[in-house]
Amino acid sequence: RSSLQQIVEKVPGMEAMSPYGWQWHLDGQQCAQEKLGPDNTIRISLEVPGPPPQAVALSANRDLPGNLRYARSTRQTVLLADTPLDGVAHLPQTFDTIKRGLQLAMGTPPHEASPEPLATDEVQAAIDDRDWPKECVVQLEDAWEFRPRLRGDAMPVQVAIDGDELRFSRTVVTDLHSAKDIAAVAEQALRFNHQLRHARLTIAGTAL
C-alpha cells in the first residue's frame, strides 16, 4: 500500500473496503463511496435520495466548495468530488472542505468553523511566483483573468477569491431565459458533470 493510501485511511470515518476503495462514514447515516483511479485521483460519491429538481441542483453547484457537484448517472443523482493524491500537505484540508460541502448539500450544518478567507496580496504573490507571461494574466478590480490558449485561441477564465478558495469560471452558454431552455440544459449538464474531472458545470443567472 502506498503512503498516500495510508494517509487517506487516517481521515476520520474512513474505512478501507479494498486496496483502491473506501467507505467514508459521515455524520448520521450518510456514507460516501471513494475510489482511487489509475491517474491517482480519488473520486468521492454520495448518493442523493430525493434529489432537488435538475435546474435547482445545477444552480446549487455554484455555492458548493471545491469541485463538489450534483451529477446524474444513468440511474441516480449523486454528489461528486475529485481530488488528486499528488501530495500530503493539502489532503487533510481537502477532505475537510469536501465533508463540509457534503454536509451543507445534505442539509446537515457542519461542525467546523468557516476557514479564514484568502488575502488578495497572497493570491497575487502566488500568481507572480508562477512567472506567467504578462499577456496571459490581467488583474481586474476584484478578480483576475487568465488567458490560457486552447488550440491556439485564448480562452479567458475569471479567477476570484471565494472565502478560502479561488474560483475559476468560464461562461460556456449564455442567454438561458426560458424554463424550457434551462430544463434541457440542466439535464444534459448534470450528466456531463458525472464525466468531468476536477471541474463542474453550473447555472449562474442566465448563463451556464
Side-chain angles (χ1 to χ4, degrees):
R1 304 180 69 79
S2 72
S3 58
L4 288 176
Q5 286 172 288
Q6 295 176 35
I7 290 168
V8 170
E9 291 170 13
K10 291 181 180 179
V11 174
M14 199 71 70
E15 177 186 5
M17 305 302 292
S18 72
Y20 304 103
W22 299 265
Q23 284 187 342
W24 191 12
H25 299 275
L26 307 171
D27 294 342
Q29 302 298 316
Q30 298 168 0
C31 184
Q33 307 300 313
E34 300 199 14
K35 290 184 179 180
L36 178 62
D39 59 349
N40 277 342
T41 290
I42 281 187
R43 164 153 286 196
I44 299 140
S45 175
L46 177 64
E47 184 177 354
V48 180
Q54 294 158 329
V56 174
L58 200 65
S59 297
N61 282 350
R62 186 173 183 271
D63 297 320
L64 295 176
N67 59 61
L68 182 64
R69 60 205 181 272
Y70 282 99
R72 180 75 184 166
S73 68
T74 54
R75 297 183 178 179
Q76 61 188 10
T77 298
V78 294
L79 285 160
L80 287 183
D82 309 298
T83 181
L85 291 184
D86 58 357
V88 175
H90 77 88
L91 287 177
Q93 182 177 355
T94 295
F95 279 110
D96 284 346
T97 298
I98 293 171
K99 181 178 181 180
R100 187 172 72 250
L102 289 171
Q103 290 172 332
L104 285 170
M106 299 299 287
T108 303
H111 299 303
E112 297 84 1
S114 298
E116 291 293 324
L118 291 173
T120 301
D121 56 352
E122 180 182 4
V123 176
Q124 186 63 58
I127 293 173
D128 294 342
D129 187 57
R130 299 302 300 170
D131 196 26
W132 284 74
K134 290 184 178 180
E135 66 274 12
C136 289
V137 182
V138 177
Q139 186 165 7
L140 308 177
E141 183 177 351
D142 56 355
W144 296 263
E145 185 175 274
F146 284 25
R147 296 172 180 174
R149 290 191 172 274
L150 183 63
R151 301 186 186 93
D153 296 325
M155 296 291 176
V157 176
Q158 297 290 317
V159 181
I161 294 174
D162 185 8
D164 67 327
E165 299 184 323
L166 278 181
R167 182 145 301 192
F168 293 71
S169 62
R170 173 171 168 76
T171 300
V172 293
V173 177
T174 59
D175 298 327
L176 297 174
H177 291 292
S178 72
K180 184 177 180 180
D181 288 344
I182 292 173
V185 169
E187 165 68 20
Q188 189 59 57
L190 287 173
R191 295 186 182 278
F192 281 146
N193 277 342
H194 201 274
Q195 303 171 31
L196 292 172
R197 294 292 186 272
H198 312 293
R200 64 190 176 195
L201 293 167
T202 181
I203 286 177
T206 60
L208 183 70

